[in-house]
């Protein structure tokens, strides 16, 4: 640790040599010390030994610019939060730091930045419609689905003939389906379903009212 005013006084050769050596030591140690140097110059470095922060004096010589943190235990360097990332022209194109949840929700910003998975999740959930459950609610929401509601499954037989093939993923109105057991045959289903349903397995229909195909359906609306 060494600091100096970098002004060599008129003195004898020996004294001047000592003064020069002290100035060089201060320069070599980045004017390190627990307090800032008493004499400062534009663009000079100062390493604060009490906080492990490295500073650079601004060109107006009126304030210190926090530059980097030196982890003396892990021997690593860390940058200040919200440090700007610029192109070769000095124009900001991003920054090292997080942006507010409101900024992420708006979805219009073009400034690149670091963001934690937790903040992304918070932004998504904050902007999600009330009907979309959070992660903690998924299990209970699924368990709360009632039979025949959107998102529920049902074994059902399609009340139609002369449809040679129904591809997986096909959708039809619930009014064309009768919920039933997989062991039901013929027209033994009871009632019809509401809404729109998606076929979860392909099948071939028949020409007989006594042999409607039974399959698994998912209500989608």
């Amino acid at each position: 640790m060494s600091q100096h005013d970098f002004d060599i006084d008129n003195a004898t050769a020996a004294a001047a040599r000592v003064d020069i050596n002290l100035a060089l030591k201060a320069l070599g140690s980045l004017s390190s010390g627990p307090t800032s140097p008493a004499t400062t110059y534009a663009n000079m470095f100062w390493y604060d030994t009490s906080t492990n922060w490295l500073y650079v004096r601004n060109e107006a010589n009126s304030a210190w610019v926090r530059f980097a943190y030196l982890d003396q235990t892990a021997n690593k360097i860390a940058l200040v939060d919200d440090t700007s990332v610029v192109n070769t022209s000095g124009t900001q194109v991003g920054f090292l730091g997080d942006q507010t949840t409101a900024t992420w929700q708006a979805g219009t910003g073009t400034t690149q930045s670091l963001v934690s998975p937790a903040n992304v999740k918070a932004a998504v959930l904050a902007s999600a419609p009330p009907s979309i459950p959070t992660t903690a609610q998924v299990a209970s929401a699924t368990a709360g689905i009632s039979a025949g509601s959107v998102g529920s499954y049902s074994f059902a037989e399609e009340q139609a003939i002369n449809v040679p093939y129904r591809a997986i993923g096909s959708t039809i109105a619930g009014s064309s389906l009768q919920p039933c057991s997989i062991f039901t045959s013929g027209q033994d289903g009871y009632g019809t379903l509401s809404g729109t349903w998606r076929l979860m397995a392909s099948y071939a229909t028949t020409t007989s009212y006594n042999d409607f195909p039974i399959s698994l359906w998912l209500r989608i609306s």
Side-chain angles (χ1 to χ4, degrees):
M1 295 184 294
S2 179
Q3 295 181 345
H4 196 277
D5 61 9
F6 299 105
D7 188 5
I8 308 303
D9 297 328
N10 289 326
T12 62
R17 179 175 178 274
V18 171
D19 204 14
I20 292 172
N21 284 336
L22 290 175
L24 291 174
K25 288 179 180 179
L27 186 63
S29 67
L30 300 180
S31 296
S32 60
T35 58
S36 62
T39 303
T40 60
Y41 301 91
N43 303 314
M44 77 179 293
F45 282 97
W46 164 49
Y47 177 65
D48 186 350
T49 55
S50 64
T51 62
N52 296 338
W53 281 105
L54 178 63
Y55 294 85
V56 180
R57 195 71 174 174
N58 66 5
E59 289 194 351
N61 194 21
S62 59
W64 291 102
V65 179
R66 197 189 301 264
F67 178 67
Y69 178 81
L70 277 65
D71 187 334
Q72 298 290 353
T73 301
N75 295 322
K76 294 182 178 180
I77 188 172
L79 300 180
V80 186
D81 183 33
D82 290 346
T83 295
S84 295
V85 178
V86 301
N87 59 22
T88 55
S89 299
T91 302
Q92 183 181 14
V93 294
F95 65 91
L96 301 178
D98 185 31
Q99 300 192 53
T100 64
T101 297
T103 301
W104 290 108
Q105 284 182 245
T108 56
T110 58
T111 302
Q112 304 296 324
S113 68
L114 300 177
V115 60
S116 69
N119 284 337
V120 172
K121 174 184 176 182
V124 172
L125 293 180
S127 60
S131 60
I132 299 179
T134 64
T135 301
Q137 298 171 326
V138 169
S140 59
T142 302
I145 296 176
S146 59
S149 64
V150 175
S152 67
Y153 288 85
S154 176
F155 284 108
E157 54 185 9
E158 182 179 358
Q159 301 296 293
I161 60 173
N162 296 323
V163 179
Y165 176 74
R166 184 74 72 183
I168 185 171
S170 300
T171 59
I172 64 173
S175 57
S176 298
L177 297 172
Q178 279 191 347
C180 60
S181 166
I182 58 174
F183 298 106
T184 302
S185 61
Q187 303 181 58
D188 295 331
Y190 179 77
T192 58
L193 297 172
S194 301
T196 303
W197 293 74
R198 176 177 293 126
L199 179 62
M200 305 305 290
S202 60
Y203 63 78
T205 60
T206 70
T207 58
S208 171
Y209 279 107
N210 295 318
D211 192 19
F212 290 132
I214 300 172
S215 192
L216 180 64
W217 297 81
L218 166 66
R219 183 173 178 181
I220 58 174
S221 67

